[in-house]
Amino acid sequence: MLNMMKFFVFSAIGIFVFFVPITLNGKSSIMLDHFVSYIQLAIPGVLPYYALLVILLGAIYPFYKKTWNKDKVTLVFSVLKVFGFVAGTMLVFNIGPKWFFDPDMAPFLFNKLVISVGLLVPIGSVFLALLVGYGLLEFIGIFMQPVMRPIWKTPGRSAIDAVASFVGSYSIGLLITNRVFKEGKYSIKEAAIIATGFSTVSATFMIVVAKTLNIMDMWNAYFWITLVVTFIVTAITVRIWPLSKMSDSYYQEMEGDQEVIIKKDRVKTAWKEAMITANESPSFGKNIWDNLKDGFVMTMGILPSIMSVGLLGLILVEFTPVFDWLGYIFYPFTALVQLPDPMLAAKASAVGIAEMFLPALLVTKAAVVTKFVIAVVSVSSIIFFSAVVPCILSTEIPLTIGKLVVIWFERVVLTILITAPLAYLLL
């Protein structure tokens, strides 16, 4: 009886906080966004110093853990995190050149993204504990078996990764993927598909994008279209190079633990799995604390990267033609689907490889159709250098930077082609 209560009550609270729009003070949004907005209004003077402290802790963390020089990529990102702290300090204490304080440069990054993410991820991680900790994902996984293998060429249990990434974060998804891969329950190909196809940014990050682009009034449409498009794009990329040619062998040539396919009594089995998880779940307090701790450590990793890679991306966008050139790669596709200002949309699509928030920053004043398509692109493209790439490279999954860039390109093109017609139908 207690396990049933845990399953229904905690899962329902998690679903309510992440997915049910509520109107408060004339503003329609999900509860998680209302919580964050309340804090931002209640203590605005404290937040810049809180964000700067988190950036400082994030910059110190790789050196404290002695992981800063374990490979070239980690070394580069460890240095960038220190640069992120320097940039944050300059902004908070008002030191630096005039261009740095332009409203569309460092202040925009810091006030709109760093502070929002610094609150959203830890608070979101608390409610994520309720959503994913008491059997709901296991229950869904059994029902997803007949879907996952034919469409995405992955086991039913990978549905847990997919949902955990979407409602939690890519870091939680990648953590699960790497652990299951090392246990021999995913092949190399399956782990690569899950890491590059499902480990996208979370619903909490999507709120930041939607708020930045002023499309929170269509939150549910944005969320569900992004979910559907992301998974359609993944279904296509698993059938083309490089994912289609990844190895079917297992981690360190181990035997591999093939998934048991449930053919009958699916509801009974799903319920049994959910009850086992609910029974084995840690105490409520421990579950909340562990998730909050993981969420805070993740925030420490993300904020300095947003401040450094985001700022470098904005400098490249503002003062160099690099992303104009890259934008020409996507221009034929944005023009083909007749987006308003196709060159701006193409440039925004290209800039996403540096940091997933940058596309949104470029189209804040664009037509609503362009905003919507770019908002979906920034999530569905999955791969970006400020966070996901170092996360994937730090797992045991054998994916190279070259392959990741190719997969990113494929995902951006497919997302533009699929989302634009949907946006025109909707808006």
Side-chain angles (χ1 to χ4, degrees), residues 107-145:
F108 191 98
L109 267 182
F110 194 81
N111 298 328
K112 283 282 169 55
L113 301 183
V114 170
I115 289 174
S116 284
V117 171
L119 293 171
L120 271 169
V121 175
I123 296 169
S125 67
V126 171
F127 292 101
L128 176 67
L130 305 182
L131 190 67
V132 303
Y134 295 97
L136 183 65
L137 293 188
E138 285 71 15
F139 188 76
I140 291 166
I142 300 289
F143 288 100
M144 290 301 286
Q145 270 190 356

Side-chain angles (χ1 to χ4, degrees), residues 15-68:
I15 290 167
F16 172 70
V17 169
F18 276 100
F19 299 116
V20 180
I22 302 285
T23 302
L24 287 177
N25 301 326
K27 177 187 166 189
S28 175
S29 192
I30 56 173
M31 276 313 295
L32 181 58
D33 184 35
H34 287 308
F35 290 143
V36 171
S37 297
Y38 175 76
I39 293 168
Q40 284 179 308
L41 287 171
I43 48 167
V46 176
L47 294 178
Y49 299 101
Y50 158 73
L52 189 61
L53 176 64
V54 177
I55 292 172
L56 171 62
L57 294 172
I60 293 169
Y61 196 65
F63 299 94
Y64 168 71
K65 297 289 276 187
K66 297 188 170 56
T67 56
W68 65 276

Side-chain angles (χ1 to χ4, degrees), residues 21-203:
I22 302 285
T23 302
L24 287 177
N25 301 326
K27 177 187 166 189
S28 175
S29 192
I30 56 173
M31 276 313 295
L32 181 58
D33 184 35
H34 287 308
F35 290 143
V36 171
S37 297
Y38 175 76
I39 293 168
Q40 284 179 308
L41 287 171
I43 48 167
V46 176
L47 294 178
Y49 299 101
Y50 158 73
L52 189 61
L53 176 64
V54 177
I55 292 172
L56 171 62
L57 294 172
I60 293 169
Y61 196 65
F63 299 94
Y64 168 71
K65 297 289 276 187
K66 297 188 170 56
T67 56
W68 65 276
N69 60 349
K70 74 170 187 178
D71 55 52
K72 284 178 187 167
V73 175
T74 311
L75 175 63
V76 169
F77 277 94
S78 298
V79 172
L80 281 171
K81 283 176 180 176
V82 175
F83 170 65
F85 173 64
V86 172
T89 305
M90 286 167 62
L91 186 73
V92 171
F93 295 103
N94 213 21
I95 309 158
K98 190 173 173 229
W99 63 264
F100 183 78
F101 294 96
D102 186 286
D104 292 333
M105 296 295 282
F108 191 98
L109 267 182
F110 194 81
N111 298 328
K112 283 282 169 55
L113 301 183
V114 170
I115 289 174
S116 284
V117 171
L119 293 171
L120 271 169
V121 175
I123 296 169
S125 67
V126 171
F127 292 101
L128 176 67
L130 305 182
L131 190 67
V132 303
Y134 295 97
L136 183 65
L137 293 188
E138 285 71 15
F139 188 76
I140 291 166
I142 300 289
F143 288 100
M144 290 301 286
Q145 270 190 356
V147 179
M148 299 305 288
R149 181 67 66 188
I151 300 177
W152 293 290
K153 302 183 184 288
T154 60
R157 59 171 81 102
S158 62
I160 294 165
D161 283 22
V163 180
S165 296
F166 233 93
V167 298
S169 83
Y170 52 84
S171 59
I172 293 168
L174 285 167
L175 206 68
I176 298 169
T177 306
N178 197 44
R179 190 174 68 220
V180 177
F181 172 58
K182 286 165 76 176
E183 288 168 1
K185 292 176 182 172
Y186 292 151
S187 69
I188 289 171
K189 182 189 275 188
E190 288 165 355
I193 289 168
I194 295 158
T196 61
F198 300 140
S199 299
T200 188
V201 294
S202 64

Side-chain angles (χ1 to χ4, degrees), residues 2-15 130 134:
L2 178 64
N3 292 335
M4 278 178 64
M5 292 238 343
K6 281 197 225 172
F7 175 76
F8 284 114
V9 174
F10 293 145
S11 300
I13 294 169
I15 290 167
L130 305 182
Y134 295 97

